[in-house]
Amino acid sequence: MKAVIINCLESMISEGYGKPKWEATLVNAGLPGNTRFLASQDIDDRVAMKIFDATCTTLNISKRQASEAFGDYWVNEFCQRIYKAYFRGSKTARELLLKMDQIHENVTMNIESARPPRFGYKWKDDNTLLMEYRSGRGMIDYLVGLVQGVGKHFRENLRVRKLSESQLEITFPA
């Protein structure tokens, strides 16, 4: 996993709860509290997942709460600082979500060893999208939070339901 994901988590925790909580999260994950990651650095998926799990322990929140908080922060804070260009041209949550696979491909095209999740799309009906999540990382719960964050960004009340470990159902407002 690219460290930019963990950098976002660090920002979310440090800004929302204070730097000592981020350091405690690292310690709870079995790392030194002063560990730093370069954005393009590869982090072993197991280490990254330990950091995400430690977030729940440190902040005393559930995985669902952590997933929703991370997704909201990623879309509405972090991406607005470094990936804002990818939001241009999208006027709705539907438009942005349907571009996510292409965005991941574009962002990681020239990054050696990048293995971003990939997405497939199938329409159930005019307002219901089945979004396929293709990744061995098992982070679909975080995708739920990201999709909810996209809805918040566009001020749309999306209904997001996890159907399996590889598929979401997203219902857009009519």
Side-chain angles (χ1 to χ4, degrees):
M1 179 179 305
K2 291 300 176 188
V4 68
I5 305 297
I6 301 303
N7 293 159
C8 174
L9 186 62
E10 176 183 5
S11 293
M12 181 190 90
I13 294 171
S14 295
E15 290 172 18
Y17 301 91
K19 191 99 173 131
K21 285 289 187 183
W22 172 247
E23 292 167 355
T25 298
L26 291 171
V27 169
N28 285 335
L31 299 167
N34 64 350
T35 302
R36 298 291 170 258
F37 302 100
L38 299 174
S40 62
Q41 177 182 350
D42 285 318
I43 299 177
D44 182 279
D45 287 350
R46 292 173 300 222
V47 172
M49 293 315 296
K50 282 183 183 179
I51 296 170
F52 274 103
D53 290 344
T55 297
C56 298
T57 302
T58 304
L59 301 181
N60 195 29
I61 59 176
S62 69
K63 184 176 180 180
R64 179 178 177 195
Q65 290 170 311
S67 300
E68 289 174 358
F70 179 81
D72 180 46
Y73 189 85
W74 175 266
V75 171
N76 295 300
E77 300 291 333
F78 198 78
C79 283
Q80 299 307 311
R81 289 182 237 162
I82 63 172
Y83 296 123
K84 191 171 182 91
Y86 290 101
F87 285 77
R88 290 190 192 111
S90 296
K91 294 183 181 1
T92 65
R94 180 187 305 234
E95 290 176 4
L96 184 66
L97 291 171
L98 289 172
K99 293 190 322 187
M100 275 182 58
D101 191 63
Q102 185 63 46
I103 289 170
H104 275 119
E105 191 171 305
N106 290 343
V107 168
T108 61
M109 184 182 312
N110 296 315
I111 300 175
E112 189 177 329
S113 73
R115 294 179 296 112
R118 301 304 304 265
F119 305 101
Y121 308 96
K122 181 179 176 184
W123 288 98
K124 184 174 175 180
D125 59 45
D126 289 345
N127 293 317
T128 307
L129 176 66
L130 300 176
M131 188 172 186
E132 182 184 0
Y133 168 77
R134 297 183 215 128
S135 174
R137 292 190 175 107
M139 295 183 71
I140 195 163
D141 293 323
Y142 289 91
L143 178 59
V144 170
L146 292 169
V147 171
Q148 290 170 334
V150 169
K152 180 179 175 182
H153 176 79
F154 288 100
R155 294 179 177 89
E156 295 178 25
N157 186 23
L158 304 182
R159 195 172 74 234
V160 185
R161 191 166 61 113
K162 177 178 151 182
L163 300 178
S164 69
E165 293 303 314
S166 63
Q167 191 173 59
L168 299 182
E169 180 182 82
I170 305 163
T171 304
F172 298 90

